[in-house]
């Protein structure tokens, strides 16, 4: 297997250092990240991340699927924010097709995206706190995450791999009591965030473990391509939802939390503030939810309703055609980026005019964010590495794809 | 009492205390899982027996029958000896701890204690500090990097906090004027101002000493927020990474036995031991002190568990700074103030 990239090796530089292989099986490398650490006592001298242990070949698989068959694959890239990936892919293909999405579908997408952000941030907060030793926060977070997952289940039939968004809208009308359930959750949630903060934000040990730890300057973060809370924690005010709005985000009012310190605590505060902002967006979406269809009027792209298939000849034919041979997408290429919970998630889709994409490439936010890791950790203690990994919130499925 | 009765009584008492201690260890684990579970919106063990009460037995059986792996790269003699050292010293220190007054059955009198040594406190401190050998040796002999780091952390931590722990107790010793644990408890009998019990925690600023003792004891027993030697998210499992089956269970038992010893000591030294209201017939008056003592130990164990459900973990350098720069000076200051107060009286 000589043609493959050899496993990165790290040779000890001085006599008194030791190479520590952290991962891929390690409780706090969040999946299967492998870190090679050269340590002097407990101080990290050098760090080399090694990825690829969760390679799924999804990018390549996409090329063998019809455009609509790619949607379920996008769920599995970043399993903590499936809807964000659904949305990004759908937006990219819709751009190629020149489809106009009805307002209700757009608002639904925004609402579900913010719920996804909450879901993802809750997992992050729980695991990050557990890495630093606060075990209870983890279970508190998962308690609320369960509520979000139940909402997902209600709307899409699935808890995690939702595949709810379609090219041209969303899969189904949400069930009747869905919006009431979301509102109930949205009303209850801010007090739960207070609960997490009560356990962490003012806790002297938490502050000692996070303040001034694993800092990265705004210049470094930008140079390494970081985005999302990792970038905003370093004082760069950039959020795609506000700066390059998509899917109707321009209709919503929300603050973009920015902290100047660039340390673990700053990133923590950014994300916790985002939890509150996201629930605000969800409430706005509920209040202003337009009526109308949830799918675009494009019979060649969007699957017809089951009812129509039983009464209309054309609907049956379109259904048969879309399912068996897909739909052709005009030649061209497009890059669409969305603000995922972790940063700039981008889909680059190339079409050769056929029913299958010529190339689908994902711009992974985590991959870029992870590049900041050695900069954060070198010269610091082993325990800070764990805090730093938690604070950049990586999902290995997205990095390896 | 002639020598034969002495031996028979001692053996019976030792067996009984050991049985109670090991059961207590098992049920402290159960208690911890249950209490932390309820703090975290979970149930804890529920499947084995009513309220999961047979869970410790099931765990014990599991540990016994698990495959006992010995990795090929370990230094075998010490690798095998280390968990034994840990558990033996953890269990031995219970020998000098008194649980109550005297048992009087007709002509037969014996204290609720295996043996009353007149330097009881020193014996406990000495034996528990030997326990660090188990941890340090397991870290070294495992020949694994995570174990080594865990072992080093543990040794440094236990040695550092032992000083603060020892000094915090000297104040109590000055007030009591004896090393005997029974003597210390007897010095706390009665009330002052009519209603406040004469416990050392309320006397001569010893509440500071109590705080130092409690903090240092958490570090000694490797519990959150000082559980760095086995910090799961950093060092996988710390010094016992390479251990499996009963060898691992021995470290586990040692940790919980140490917790119980520490809780016993805290009750004896600061909270008046087994002191409490006595009433009813004479057999009840003999057994009630045991109840009061167990209640206090239970409270301490509960606080241990509560803290675990609440706090994150210190970092290594912060832990050292906290021990040497805060706890130790505080302990010395407390000691000097106590000494001056006692002399001026």
């Amino acid at each position: 297997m000589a043609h493959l990239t050899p496993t990165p090796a790290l040779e000890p530089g001085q006599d008194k250092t030791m190479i520590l292989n952290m991962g891929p099986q390690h409780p706090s490398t969040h999946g299967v990240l492998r870190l090679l650490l050269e340590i002097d006592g407990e101080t990290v001298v050098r760090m080399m991340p090694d990825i690829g242990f969760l390679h799924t070949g999804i990018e390549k698989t996409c090329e063998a699927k019809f455009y609509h068959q790619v949607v379920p694959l996008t769920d599995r890239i970043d399993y903590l924010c499936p809807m964000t990936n659904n949305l990004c892919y759908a937006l990219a293909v819709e751009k190629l097709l020149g489809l106009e999405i009805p307002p209700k579908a757009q608002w639904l997408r925004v609402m579900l995206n913010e719920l996804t952000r909450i879901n993802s941030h809750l997992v992050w907060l729980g695991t990050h706190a557990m890495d630093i030793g606060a075990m209870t926060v983890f279970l508190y977070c998962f308690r609320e995450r369960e509520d979000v997952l139940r909402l997902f289940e209600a709307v899409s039939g699935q808890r995690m791999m939702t595949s709810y968004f379609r090219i041209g809208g969303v899969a189904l009308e949400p069930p009747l009591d869905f919006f009431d359930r979301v509102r109930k959750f949205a009303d209850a949630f801010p007090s739960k965030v207070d609960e997490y903060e009560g356990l962490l934000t003012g806790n002297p040990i938490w502050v000692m473990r996070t303040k001034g730890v694993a800092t990265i300057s705004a210049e470094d973060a930008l140079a390494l391509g970081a985005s999302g809370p990792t970038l905003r924690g370093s004082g760069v005010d950039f959020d795609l939802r506000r700066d390059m709005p998509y899917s109707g985000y321009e209709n919503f009012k929300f603050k973009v939390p920015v902290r100047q310190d660039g340390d673990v605590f700053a990133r923590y505060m950014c994300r916790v503030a985002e939890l509150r902002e996201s629930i605000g967006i969800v409430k706005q979406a509920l209040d202003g939810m337009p009526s109308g269809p949830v799918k675009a009027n494009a019979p060649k792209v969007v699957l017809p309703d089951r009812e129509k298939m039983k009464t209309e000849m054309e609907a049956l034919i379109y259904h048969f055609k879309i399912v068996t041979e897909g739909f052709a997408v005009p030649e061209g290429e497009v890059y669409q980026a969305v603000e995922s919970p972790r940063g700039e998630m981008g889909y680059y889709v190339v079409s050769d005019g056929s029913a299958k994409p010529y190339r689908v490439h994902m711009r992974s936010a985590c991959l870029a964010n992870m590049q900041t890791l050695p900069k954060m950790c070198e010269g610091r203690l082993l325990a800070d590495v764990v805090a730093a990994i938690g604070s950049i919130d990586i999902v290995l499925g997205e990095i390896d794809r | 009492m002639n020598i034969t009765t002495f031996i028979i009584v001692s053996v019976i008492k030792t067996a009984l205390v050991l049985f109670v201690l090991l059961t207590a260890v098992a049920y402290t684990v159960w208690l911890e899982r249950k209490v932390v579970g309820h703090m975290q919106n979970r149930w804890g063990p529920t499947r084995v027996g009513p309220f999961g009460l047979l869970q410790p037995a099931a765990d014990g059986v599991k540990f016994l029958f698990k495959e006992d792996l010995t990795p090929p790269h370990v230094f075998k003699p010490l690798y095998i000896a280390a968990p034994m050292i840990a558990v033996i010293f953890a269990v031995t220190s219970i020998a000098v701890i008194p649980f109550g007054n005297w048992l009087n059955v007709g002509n037969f009198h014996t204290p609720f204690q295996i043996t009353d040594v007149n330097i009881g406190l020193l014996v406990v401190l000495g034996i528990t500090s030997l326990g660090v050998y188990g941890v340090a040796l397991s870290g070294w002999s495992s020949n694994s990097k995570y174990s080594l780091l865990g072992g080093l952390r543990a040794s440094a931590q236990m040695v550092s906090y032992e000083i603060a722990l020892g000094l915090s107790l000297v104040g109590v010793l000055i007030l009591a004027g004896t090393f005997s644990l029974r003597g210390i408890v007897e010095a706390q009998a009665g009330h002052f101002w009519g209603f406040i019990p004469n416990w050392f925690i309320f006397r001569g600023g010893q509440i500071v000493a109590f705080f130092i003792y409690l903090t240092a004891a958490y570090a000694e027993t490797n519990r959150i927020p000082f559980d760095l030697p086995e910090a799961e998210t950093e060092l996988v499992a710390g010094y016992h990474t390479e251990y499996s089956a009963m060898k691992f269970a021995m470290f586990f038992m040692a940790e919980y036995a140490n917790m119980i010893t520490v809780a016993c000591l805290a009750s004896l030294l600061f909270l008046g031991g087994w002191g409490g209201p006595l009433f009813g017939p004479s057999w009840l008056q003999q057994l009630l002190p045991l109840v009061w003592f167990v209640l206090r130990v239970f409270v301490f164990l509960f606080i241990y568990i509560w803290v675990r459900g609440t706090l994150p973990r210190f970092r290594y350098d912060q832990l050292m700074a906290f021990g040497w720069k805060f706890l130790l000076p505080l302990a010395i200051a407390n000691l000097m103030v106590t000494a001056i107060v006692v002399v001026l009286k």
Side-chain angles (χ1 to χ4, degrees):
Chain A
M1 304 285 272
H3 59 283
L4 290 178
T5 324
T7 316
L10 204 57
E11 295 297 324
Q14 301 146 314
D15 291 342
K16 58 177 184 173
T17 61
M18 171 170 98
I19 302 294
L20 185 69
N21 180 37
M22 194 168 168
Q25 281 107 356
H26 187 280
S28 62
T29 51
H30 291 241
V32 284
L33 173 65
R34 175 174 176 229
L35 293 172
L36 283 156
L37 304 170
E38 181 181 346
I39 53 175
D40 175 8
E42 290 229 3
T43 314
V44 177
V45 183
R46 276 191 298 160
M47 171 196 264
M48 191 189 279
D50 180 17
I51 58 169
F53 293 94
L54 202 61
H55 183 70
T56 46
I58 284 181
E59 278 188 8
K60 188 71 188 162
T61 314
C62 292
E63 295 168 18
K65 302 275 176 195
F66 295 131
Y67 278 95
H68 59 84
Q69 288 176 324
V70 172
V71 173
L73 290 176
T74 61
D75 286 330
R76 285 151 177 83
I77 288 167
D78 185 343
Y79 34 80
L80 292 185
C81 54
M83 303 253 201
T84 318
N85 285 274
N86 286 175
L87 175 68
C88 192
Y89 173 73
L91 285 175
V93 179
E94 283 156 9
K95 228 187 217 176
L96 275 173
L97 286 164
L99 269 186
E100 192 64 38
I101 307 304
K104 185 172 183 187
Q106 288 197 5
W107 285 62
L108 258 176
R109 283 174 170 189
V110 166
M111 189 182 86
L112 287 166
N113 248 285
E114 292 310 313
L115 285 174
T116 308
R117 191 180 312 279
I118 290 168
N119 170 27
S120 169
H121 278 2
L122 284 176
V123 176
W124 157 78
L125 180 61
T127 50
H128 184 38
M130 190 142 90
D131 286 348
I132 299 188
M135 189 183 158
T136 302
V137 182
F138 174 76
L139 286 132
Y140 281 13
C141 287
F142 269 58
R143 178 185 63 193
E144 270 70 65
R145 178 176 184 252
E146 196 60 31
D147 293 342
V148 180
L149 291 182
R150 288 209 184 99
L151 291 175
F152 287 172
E153 191 180 9
V155 76
S156 73
Q158 276 281 5
R159 286 156 56 84
M160 281 178 75
M161 302 299 140
T162 48
S163 299
Y164 180 59
F165 298 168
R166 293 285 188 275
I167 297 160
V170 297
L172 295 161
E173 279 279 351
L176 280 178
D177 65 337
F178 179 66
F179 294 122
D180 298 333
R181 287 174 66 178
V182 176
R183 186 173 298 282
K184 215 167 133 194
F185 172 75
D187 289 339
F189 188 65
S191 70
K192 311 284 175 153
V193 182
D194 295 340
E195 219 167 86
Y196 316 142
E197 283 215 81
L199 275 167
L200 296 177
T201 310
N203 187 326
I205 301 180
W206 177 262
V207 174
M208 271 167 84
R209 283 299 306 275
T210 54
K211 262 213 170 126
V213 168
T215 47
I216 187 149
S217 66
E219 294 78 48
D220 285 339
L222 278 173
L224 289 164
S227 54
T230 312
L231 186 64
R232 291 194 284 273
S234 293
V236 182
D237 192 1
F238 177 69
D239 188 320
L240 285 165
R241 290 177 293 171
R242 185 197 58 199
D243 300 326
M244 299 176 189
Y246 51 88
S247 191
Y249 263 109
E250 60 275 10
N251 303 320
F252 295 89
K253 277 201 196 66
F254 57 95
K255 285 202 282 283
V256 176
V258 177
R259 305 282 287 199
Q260 301 299 327
D261 310 328
D263 55 8
V264 175
F265 190 71
R267 293 190 278 277
Y268 158 76
M269 287 306 280
C270 272
R271 288 205 182 85
V272 172
E274 271 179 25
L275 278 176
R276 296 184 195 276
E277 291 302 320
S278 289
I279 209 70
I281 299 176
V282 169
K283 279 184 186 161
Q284 290 176 45
L286 281 172
D287 291 337
M289 183 65 69
S291 53
V294 293
K295 291 173 190 173
N297 184 19
K300 285 187 177 168
V301 175
V302 179
L303 283 176
D305 290 337
R306 301 299 291 188
E307 292 302 313
K308 280 188 187 162
M309 279 166 60
K310 289 166 190 159
T311 52
E312 289 173 27
M313 185 69 155
E314 292 84 357
L316 191 61
I317 293 172
Y318 278 131
H319 182 269
F320 183 74
K321 296 266 276 184
I322 292 172
V323 170
T324 53
E325 55 190 49
F327 49 84
V329 170
E331 215 168 308
E333 54 191 85
V334 68
Y335 176 76
Q336 172 69 45
V338 300
E339 184 74 21
S340 93
R342 277 158 270 285
E344 179 182 339
M345 181 78 212
Y347 274 61
Y348 174 66
V349 182
V350 183
S351 166
D352 56 0
S354 72
K356 291 174 182 171
Y358 178 75
R359 176 87 169 96
V360 179
H361 173 72
M362 294 94 180
R363 190 268 179 201
S364 160
C366 298
L367 181 65
N369 287 348
M370 199 189 57
Q371 297 189 76
T372 60
L373 205 52
K375 199 118 206 163
M376 287 176 182
C377 298
E378 281 173 1
R380 303 206 61 96
L381 291 170
L382 193 58
D384 293 339
V385 174
V386 172
I389 298 174
S391 77
I392 58 171
D393 186 20
I394 47 173
V395 164
L396 269 294
E398 192 198 285
I399 290 179
D400 293 342
R401 301 190 293 290
Chain B
M1 197 190 295
N2 63 32
I3 189 78
T4 331
T5 7
F6 174 76
I7 290 174
I8 292 171
V9 169
S10 293
V11 167
I12 292 174
K13 275 202 289 196
T14 311
L16 205 65
V17 168
L18 202 59
F19 173 74
V20 171
L21 176 68
L22 292 182
T23 315
V25 164
Y27 278 91
T28 311
V29 180
W30 175 84
L31 184 75
E32 167 153 17
R33 292 174 64 176
K34 212 69 185 165
V35 170
V36 168
H38 280 273
M39 283 175 182
Q40 299 172 338
N41 297 306
R42 299 184 287 122
W43 285 106
T46 53
R47 295 286 138 176
V48 194
F51 307 106
L53 272 170
L54 294 178
Q55 188 68 42
D59 285 346
V61 170
K62 185 190 79 177
F63 277 129
L64 279 172
F65 286 101
K66 278 252 170 178
E67 187 183 358
D68 191 7
L69 290 168
T70 305
H73 48 72
V74 300
F75 182 66
K76 253 194 170 169
L78 287 181
Y79 175 82
I80 293 167
M84 295 179 188
I85 294 174
V87 82
I88 287 171
F89 287 127
V91 171
T92 312
S93 54
I94 205 80
V96 293
I97 287 183
F99 309 105
N101 279 325
W102 285 72
L103 178 70
N104 306 309
V105 185
N107 255 347
F108 175 75
H109 309 285
T110 184
F112 282 109
Q113 185 177 15
I114 294 180
T115 176
D116 186 11
V117 186
N118 59 3
I119 50 162
L121 185 59
L122 283 186
V123 172
V124 175
L125 289 181
I127 290 177
T128 46
S129 58
L130 281 174
V132 73
Y133 277 105
V135 173
L137 289 178
S138 68
W140 180 81
S141 67
S142 292
N143 207 359
S144 143
K145 288 167 182 173
Y146 287 116
S147 302
L148 180 67
L149 286 172
L152 287 178
R153 277 184 178 189
S155 326
Q157 173 180 330
M158 287 165 120
V159 170
S160 307
Y161 276 76
E162 204 136 78
I163 302 171
L165 182 95
L167 280 177
S168 72
L169 298 180
V170 179
V172 170
L173 294 178
I174 292 176
L175 290 176
T178 171
F179 269 118
S180 157
L181 289 167
R182 191 164 284 277
I184 292 172
V185 172
E186 276 153 11
Q188 298 178 70
H191 297 76
F192 61 96
W193 297 346
F195 64 99
I196 302 177
N198 214 354
W199 300 348
F200 283 135
I201 186 174
F202 299 128
R203 279 162 58 182
Q206 292 311 306
I207 188 141
V208 183
F210 179 68
F211 163 75
I212 299 168
Y213 173 80
L214 214 56
T215 320
Y218 279 38
E220 279 295 291
T221 46
N222 297 334
R223 296 279 302 181
I224 264 185
F226 303 106
D227 68 334
L228 291 99
E230 44 197 290
E232 185 183 300
T233 49
E234 294 157 29
L235 298 182
V236 189
Y239 56 84
H240 53 63
T241 306
E242 302 290 342
Y243 284 90
S244 58
M246 210 53 210
K247 291 206 198 85
F248 163 75
M250 281 185 191
F251 282 118
F252 208 67
M253 277 157 62
E255 181 181 324
Y256 281 84
N258 277 331
M259 272 168 67
I260 291 175
T261 313
V262 159
C264 287
L265 266 194
S267 321
L268 292 172
L269 294 173
F270 293 101
L271 295 188
W274 51 82
L278 299 179
F279 48 82
S282 75
W283 63 267
L284 189 65
Q285 293 211 8
Q286 286 183 31
L287 291 181
L288 266 179
L290 286 180
V291 176
W292 302 135
F293 183 72
V294 168
L295 265 182
R296 287 179 174 101
V297 173
F298 175 80
V299 168
F300 276 104
L301 291 177
F302 186 82
I303 297 175
Y304 256 114
I305 295 165
W306 189 4
V307 166
R308 175 163 179 233
T310 317
L311 291 183
R313 180 185 301 127
F314 276 103
R315 200 174 61 202
Y316 184 59
D317 57 328
Q318 292 163 348
L319 171 99
M320 283 303 176
F322 185 69
W324 287 101
K325 293 184 187 161
F326 179 71
L327 278 188
L328 185 60
L330 193 65
I332 294 175
N334 174 64
L335 171 59
M336 286 166 78
V337 170
T338 315
I340 290 168
V341 167
V342 169
V343 167
L344 290 184
K345 266 184 185 171

